[in-house]
Amino acid sequence: DSGVTQTPKHLITATGQRVTLRCSPRSGDLSVYWYQQSLDQGLQFLIQYYNGEERAKGNILERFSAQQFPDLHSELNLSSLELGDSALYFCASSVADGVGYGYTFGSGTRLTVV
Amino acid sequence: GQNIDQPTEMTATEGAIVQINCTYQTSGFNGLFWYQQHAGEAPTFLSYNVLDGLEEKGRFSSFLSRSKGYSYLLLKELQMKDSASYLCAVIIGDNAGNMLTFGGGTRLMVKP
């Protein structure tokens, strides 16, 4: 157990729907990062939050949004889902900005869009 | 743009040594990480280099040359359980935020 908790572990939904993925960071970590990993692809950075504020943005689609709450858990919202959104979505956390500390990853949410 | 390149696949024999190379061209550099990822599982931290040179940790070592934009991960005394993807990642950022940018990963197959 890495200490980063992601729910749900699996999600199957239809095209056009909206889903919310949840992440609780490791105790003491202020930064949360979201990554997408499609089949046999590398990890694509989506977005970073630090202590409730958005800090960095990667290749995140406009249909996707995220937020970090006062208790530091984070949610990733995916809307108007398409077949191509099927992927593993990882959340990671770090103490501060990750430099020197690395990121600790959760076990991921496997999203299947049918 | 950011470019992080590593071989797609490698095969090695149990008990042998394998070196996985990574080259990068990024706007900014705050360190380089290596992660191990078994299929369908979370990446797990292996090593971090920010200064030039070799970092050794048990059977795994990682080397960095910032002037060449080059790193390698060395795995010694290979075991079957080392069959996994190995991800090279560079941390890029500034005071506003940072992102850990990954290469495509190298799938290592260890054969008996």
Side-chain angles (χ1 to χ4, degrees):
Chain A
D1 181 7
S2 68
V4 179
T5 304
Q6 287 189 249
T7 57
K9 290 196 185 304
H10 302 277
L11 198 50
I12 301 176
T13 190
T15 54
Q17 294 298 304
R18 172 191 167 95
V19 296
T20 297
L21 313 183
R22 183 188 168 102
C23 168
S24 293
R26 201 175 50 164
S27 178
D29 286 356
L30 299 179
S31 277
V32 169
Y33 312 81
W34 286 98
Y35 284 83
Q36 179 192 56
Q37 188 174 39
S38 302
L39 189 63
D40 292 334
Q41 298 281 314
L43 285 157
Q44 299 295 320
F45 172 74
L46 296 178
I47 198 162
Q48 177 207 1
Y49 280 85
Y50 175 78
N51 205 20
E53 293 186 3
E54 181 184 305
R55 274 294 181 92
K57 220 169 190 177
N59 297 322
I60 187 167
L61 299 173
E62 286 191 9
R63 300 184 286 109
F64 295 2
S65 65
Q67 54 184 326
Q68 187 180 29
F69 295 86
D71 67 353
L72 302 178
H73 91 271
S74 178
E75 292 181 356
L76 179 67
N77 300 297
L78 315 176
S79 61
S80 302
L81 284 167
E82 303 174 358
L83 296 178
D85 297 328
S86 295
L88 262 171
Y89 290 85
F90 286 105
C91 166
S93 72
S94 69
V95 171
D97 58 7
V99 176
Y101 305 103
Y103 297 7
T104 301
F105 283 81
S107 57
T109 293
R110 183 176 293 281
L111 173 67
T112 303
V113 182
V114 297
Chain B
Q2 322 293 354
N3 275 328
I4 301 174
D5 294 315
Q6 45 182 135
T8 306
E9 288 186 356
M10 296 183 72
T11 302
T13 305
E14 191 177 15
I17 299 173
V18 71
Q19 178 175 312
I20 302 174
N21 296 324
C22 171
T23 58
Y24 63 90
Q25 287 180 304
T26 57
S27 55
F29 178 86
N30 285 328
L32 186 144
F33 292 85
W34 284 94
Y35 280 82
Q36 181 191 59
Q37 186 181 27
H38 286 97
E41 297 182 10
T44 55
F45 171 83
L46 289 178
S47 68
Y48 170 69
N49 295 71
V50 65
L51 300 176
D52 289 354
L54 188 68
E55 295 282 341
E56 296 186 79
K57 192 187 291 187
R59 294 190 298 117
F60 293 6
S61 303
S62 57
F63 171 83
L64 174 68
S65 168
R66 288 177 302 170
S67 61
K68 295 182 180 177
Y70 168 70
S71 173
Y72 68 72
L73 179 70
L74 195 70
L75 291 76
K76 303 175 187 175
E77 300 169 13
L78 280 172
Q79 302 174 9
M80 298 300 291
K81 67 178 182 179
D82 296 330
S83 293
S85 287
Y86 291 85
L87 312 178
C88 172
V90 173
I91 195 159
I92 303 162
D94 53 30
N95 291 333
N98 70 88
M99 63 180 84
L100 193 59
T101 301
F102 285 83
T106 298
R107 189 178 303 174
L108 174 66
M109 201 176 321
V110 180
K111 295 187 172 179

